[in-house]
Every structure is written in structure tokens, then in C-alpha cells.
Amino acid sequence: MGRTVAVVADRVGWEERELIRRAPEFGLRIDWVNDESLCLGDPGAASIDGYDALLVRSRSYTRGGLLATLAESSGVPVLNSAAAIHACENKLVLRAVLRSAGVPVPDFRLALSRKDFTRALEDLGLPAVLKPVYGGMGKRVTLIRDADLAPSVYDYVEDLGHAFEQACLVEPYLGGGSVRCLVVGREIVAAAEFESAGADWRSNAALGNQSRALAHDPEVHKLVDGVVDRLGEGIYGVDLFKTPSGHLVNEVNHAPAWRGVASTTGADIPAAVARHLQEILA
């Protein structure tokens, strides 16, 4: 067997199983390494000895970037880079990083208190979306349509959120559709449009919403190029909103699920990832 790669994750999902299963076709061996079992620190930490590269797919809001930082300090190639993961783990940091690079993102306000939240709704109007700075898969994202309901919604943030969980973004509601681009290296290997289905307004692939393959769109490619220029080559799920004035980058996921976009487009994403790993290890 050729080069060995550790896929660092908190669990083995469909994507990880496919990568492990397909790896021998590309002269690779991919092992799952639990992201809670590495105990990194000293550059000679034995837990990553023997691996030629690490593919970090931790779903944790914090572990991925920390582990990538230490692995990079040990001289092990890491995908994605620690800097990219740290940016993607935090929605506010990502928005600031992309905006500073000229990549268009939705208007937003940071809400660290009830006063912030109230002011944000005054500034942006209703309907508005409240979302945690740390989070993914559409969890704890709330659409606020009614001004009378807004204070009660924030009660849950104050009473049930702990520490960084209380940091939220407020942004205008931009409709029930989104575009998910699965990027490997610099290339969009699959792109699909997702629409909210039924009573759930969120257009998220993890929620099983309706989808269709997206035809080539030069504007989408230009935006994705801007994201990769800023974050570096890697494996990303780039989520876009389509507005009357053009697309906006909503989120970038550093450990994207791709089962939904693969089934919609027919793209062989595990093969694309494996070939990218080959290039890194060449």
C-alpha cells in the first residue's frame, strides 16, 4: 500500500466510509482517527506518527482548528489548513475575512446581548434570521417574522446558551433557497441548488431539502475563486444565497457533508478528494 492518511473526525459518516473504501483505488490507505484521542502537543507526539497527511473532518466547533494547528507545527501536511479551519469554524470570523477580501457576504449584525439583538432588528427589519456564531447543519438557526415573538426567541439564547453559544449573528432573511458548491482544491466538482421543503424554511442539504444540479454559472465560479484565494486550496462546502443583485457567500464549511450534492449531481466526490490527496503527497 502507498501513502497513509488519517481522516480526523468525531465519527465515521457516509463521506468518511466512502473515502476509506475508495482509497486503495488511488494507492492510498485512509484510517479513521477519533479527534478526541490524539493528545497532541510536543512535535514528536506519537498519535500521528506513521501518517503522511491528516484530513481534518471534525464536526466540532473548536477541535478541528486546534488539532490542525498542532499537526502543522509537527510538519505533517494538513487538509484543510489550520488557518482555513479556524476561519470556517466561526461564522463571524469567516464573514470578516471574506468581506475584507472583497467577497460579497450578507449584511449582518453581531448580537452579544439583548440590546445588540434589539438594535439589530431595528437596523435590519423583519423578517430576520438569528443564527449562532458557532454551529452548522442549520441547527439553532431561527427565522423571526413577528416583532412580538422576537423577545421570547432571545430568552432561549440568554437562558439556554452557555458562554460562546450566546454569540449570534442577525441577518436579513434572503429567501428559502441556496446554492451548495463542493470545492476540491480550487475546482467546483459539484454544485446544486437547494430549496426549503414543507414547513421547514431552511434550505440545507443535511435537512433533506429539494435539490437540483446547478448549471455552469460564471458568477458562482468567480465567487468560489475569491473564497479559495483567501482561504487557500482545500475541501470546502461553499453555500451561497441568490439575491436580485447577485450571489452572496453565506457560509463555508471546512468539513462538508456531500452525500446530498453527490446524489443530485452524480459527481464522484470521493475520487476527486483522493486525487487531491495524491497531489498533496506527490
Side-chain angles (χ1 to χ4, degrees):
M1 184 59 64
R3 313 302 287 276
T4 61
V5 177
V7 57
V8 178
D10 50 320
R11 61 181 174 84
V12 178
W14 182 87
E15 289 80 5
E16 289 75 26
R17 288 196 299 273
E18 284 297 293
L19 287 173
I20 291 169
R21 183 180 70 84
R22 299 284 303 280
E25 300 175 26
F26 302 89
L28 301 172
R29 190 189 83 216
I30 296 180
D31 299 332
W32 171 49
V33 175
N34 192 313
D35 68 3
E36 294 181 325
S37 66
L38 286 172
C39 194
L40 298 182
D42 185 274
S47 54
I48 55 176
D49 281 356
Y51 289 108
D52 297 301
L54 266 61
L55 174 58
V56 179
R57 287 188 52 82
S58 174
R59 280 85 166 177
S60 163
Y61 307 147
T62 55
R63 290 198 291 267
L66 299 175
L67 293 172
T69 297
L70 288 172
E72 284 182 355
S73 73
S74 300
V76 178
V78 180
L79 189 67
N80 295 328
S81 73
I85 294 174
H86 278 302
C88 294
E89 286 174 332
N90 184 312
K91 292 182 177 66
L92 175 67
V93 171
L94 179 70
R95 295 271 178 99
V97 163
L98 294 181
R99 189 169 59 182
S100 68
V103 177
V105 299
D107 193 8
F108 68 90
R109 301 292 185 275
L110 173 64
L112 298 176
S113 67
R114 188 177 290 272
K115 287 183 178 180
D116 280 346
F117 176 66
T118 302
R119 173 67 182 276
L121 295 182
E122 292 172 353
D123 286 351
L124 300 174
L126 295 176
V129 174
L130 176 69
K131 60 174 60 174
V133 166
Y134 297 92
M137 302 180 73
K139 301 295 180 64
R140 296 193 296 127
V141 178
T142 305
L143 173 60
I144 302 171
R145 299 182 186 272
D146 190 334
D148 292 338
L149 184 63
S152 296
V153 169
Y154 199 78
D155 287 343
Y156 285 91
V157 176
E158 281 188 328
D159 295 343
L160 301 180
H162 300 284
F164 65 79
E165 292 178 347
Q166 293 186 348
C168 295
L169 298 183
V170 182
E171 62 187 37
Y173 175 55
L174 297 176
S178 64
V179 173
R180 160 60 64 97
C181 299
L182 201 291
V183 178
V184 179
R186 293 196 62 90
E187 301 301 319
I188 299 175
V189 298
E193 296 178 284
F194 289 87
E195 295 289 341
S196 56
D200 196 330
W201 62 273
R202 296 168 295 176
S203 58
N204 187 291
L207 301 174
N209 292 161
Q210 299 171 355
S211 62
R212 60 182 177 273
L214 179 71
H216 175 78
D217 187 323
E219 183 196 1
V220 169
H221 281 258
K222 181 178 180 181
L223 281 182
V224 169
D225 282 343
V227 170
V228 178
D229 285 344
R230 185 61 184 82
L231 298 181
E233 293 188 5
I235 300 170
Y236 303 110
V238 182
D239 291 337
L240 311 173
F241 286 141
K242 187 175 183 179
T243 73
S245 59
H247 288 86
L248 304 173
V249 178
N250 178 38
E251 295 182 7
V252 180
N253 194 318
H254 72 276
W258 62 66
R259 189 173 188 174
V261 72
S263 64
T264 297
T265 64
D268 190 350
I269 297 172
V273 172
R275 285 193 290 267
H276 189 58
L277 287 168
Q278 286 179 317
E279 293 173 3
I280 290 172
L281 294 170

